[in-house]
Amino acid sequence: MLQAAIVTDGHIDVIGIGYEGGELEPHTHVEFGTIDGVAAGEGEYEPGDLTFIVPGSTLTARPAGSQWDAIGIAAGQPFFFLPQSGTEADTLGSIFAGIGTEELAPDDWTSPISMTLTGATGPGEFALAQVLLGTPNFFMSTADGGITPADTYSQAADDHQHFYWYFTQAGDYSLTFDFSGIHVTDGPKSASATYDFHVIPEPSTGLLAALSLAGLILRRRRS
């Protein structure tokens, strides 16, 4: 088996959804980024072909307030993340990670595309959220009673969104998602795919003090 290529930064739709041969086609869409240390242009990759790096530069402390409980750690405890903001991603040297359904024609679908977390392996908890004006909206969390059908995010065809991807421990994670939607002529369609992440440990003990919690707040929604 070939070793997965390593993605360290760039504008990456970690999850991209296409429709080929009458089937949903989950993949990764790279707009631009660095893969195995080399600048890469636009391209598509199969799930499992890439490993997405979550760098130690993102290490920060969980804010107070029960609205953040879904991250899976107590207030003040450290965690890692991929940012929702492109500006923040550039500052931290991280991936600007999104989910894209632009390849799907809206008139071809009578429902949004649902993405349900069905499996997660790793040393810590995982959560997915969007943050607006400091308030998180969690779509998925492995910490709130485990993985259930409630760990679902739905996105319309021909859309593009970005998120905070939270990880509570350094190490390797594999996240499996089921995808489903109703095609206007082909009926219900479904697929499954697994995506791999590697969270790099804290590079220095002083990093938490250096990072501002303001980085968790979405300054403006970018799509």
Side-chain angles (χ1 to χ4, degrees):
M1 178 180 293
L2 294 176
Q3 183 176 2
I6 303 299
V7 185
T8 50
D9 60 37
H11 187 169
I12 313 292
D13 283 345
V14 171
I15 298 174
I17 303 295
Y19 192 68
E20 296 290 340
E23 300 296 337
L24 284 173
E25 184 190 49
H27 56 272
T28 292
H29 182 92
V30 174
E31 183 171 323
F32 61 86
T34 302
I35 301 177
D36 283 346
V38 178
E42 186 169 6
E44 290 187 0
Y45 299 80
E46 295 294 325
D49 284 353
L50 303 175
T51 295
F52 307 100
I53 296 298
V54 183
S57 59
T58 68
L59 186 68
T60 192
R62 204 213 91 171
S66 60
Q67 67 269 33
W68 299 98
D69 286 351
I71 291 178
I73 52 174
Q77 294 299 304
F79 67 95
F80 304 82
F81 65 96
L82 291 177
Q84 179 179 309
S85 160
T87 300
E88 190 176 12
D90 289 343
T91 299
L92 295 172
S94 75
I95 296 168
F96 179 37
I99 295 175
T101 53
E102 298 101 318
E103 298 176 41
L104 303 179
D107 291 345
D108 288 345
W109 299 89
T110 62
S111 74
I113 304 302
S114 293
M115 310 170 199
T116 302
L117 181 68
T118 57
T121 62
E125 306 291 354
F126 163 74
L128 183 77
Q130 288 182 326
V131 180
L132 181 62
L133 300 177
T135 300
N137 179 19
F138 283 91
F139 301 104
M140 302 175 186
S141 171
T142 61
D144 58 356
I147 299 173
T148 73
D151 293 307
T152 296
Y153 167 71
S154 294
Q155 183 165 304
D158 193 25
D159 196 6
H160 180 95
Q161 298 289 329
H162 284 267
F163 306 82
Y164 279 104
W165 306 64
Y166 298 117
F167 302 86
T168 61
Q169 299 287 336
D172 294 318
Y173 293 76
S174 290
L175 305 176
T176 299
F177 302 90
D178 283 353
F179 304 92
S180 62
I182 301 175
H183 193 272
V184 66
T185 56
D186 297 338
K189 292 294 176 179
S190 62
S192 180
T194 299
Y195 298 83
D196 297 320
F197 299 78
H198 178 66
V199 182
I200 296 176
E202 176 187 7
S204 71
T205 57
L207 184 60
L208 277 177
L211 288 176
S212 169
L213 291 180
L216 294 173
I217 300 174
L218 177 63
R219 296 171 182 84
R220 66 183 181 88
R221 192 165 185 170
R222 177 170 175 173
S223 61

